[in-house]
Amino acid sequence: MANIKSAKKRIITSAKRADRNKSVRTGVKNATKKVYAAIASGNKDDAAAALTKAISTIEKAGSKGVYHRCNASRKVSRLTKAVNKMA
């Protein structure tokens, strides 16, 4: 454990940020899984609804700095492409 006050604060704040980032990443993964599950079931309406929620979640993660903006954009692009590929 650190002895210096600023180092102690760094440990606490980095732990808080790590927990928050983990929560956001989990939310993105769950939203992505829901989209792919809807695609697998073949229901385009459900897939489109899940896609809009997933895009919102991913864009928020990108704007907060949890994901790099290019990474967030790539995730959105791949999901959209997968939903649009449905017959």
Side-chain angles (χ1 to χ4, degrees):
M1 185 67 188
N3 291 325
I4 299 168
K5 187 176 180 183
S6 61
K8 288 178 183 177
K9 184 177 179 183
R10 275 289 120 220
I11 291 168
I12 292 168
T13 55
S14 63
K16 278 184 192 173
R17 285 178 182 220
D19 289 343
R20 190 177 306 128
N21 289 347
K22 189 182 243 183
S23 171
V24 171
R25 281 196 179 101
T26 302
V28 169
K29 286 179 189 175
N30 287 339
T32 305
K33 285 178 188 175
K34 285 179 184 175
V35 173
Y36 283 122
I39 290 170
S41 71
N43 193 341
K44 190 159 187 161
D45 293 334
D46 286 347
L51 177 66
T52 55
K53 287 182 182 176
I55 287 174
S56 172
T57 307
I58 294 168
E59 292 295 328
K60 280 181 191 170
S63 68
K64 300 291 181 193
V66 177
Y67 285 116
H68 191 273
R69 58 185 169 78
C70 294
N71 189 352
S73 179
R74 184 175 65 243
K75 287 179 183 295
V76 168
S77 177
R78 287 179 179 173
L79 281 176
T80 306
K81 193 174 178 182
V83 171
N84 288 341
K85 236 184 218 185
M86 291 178 71

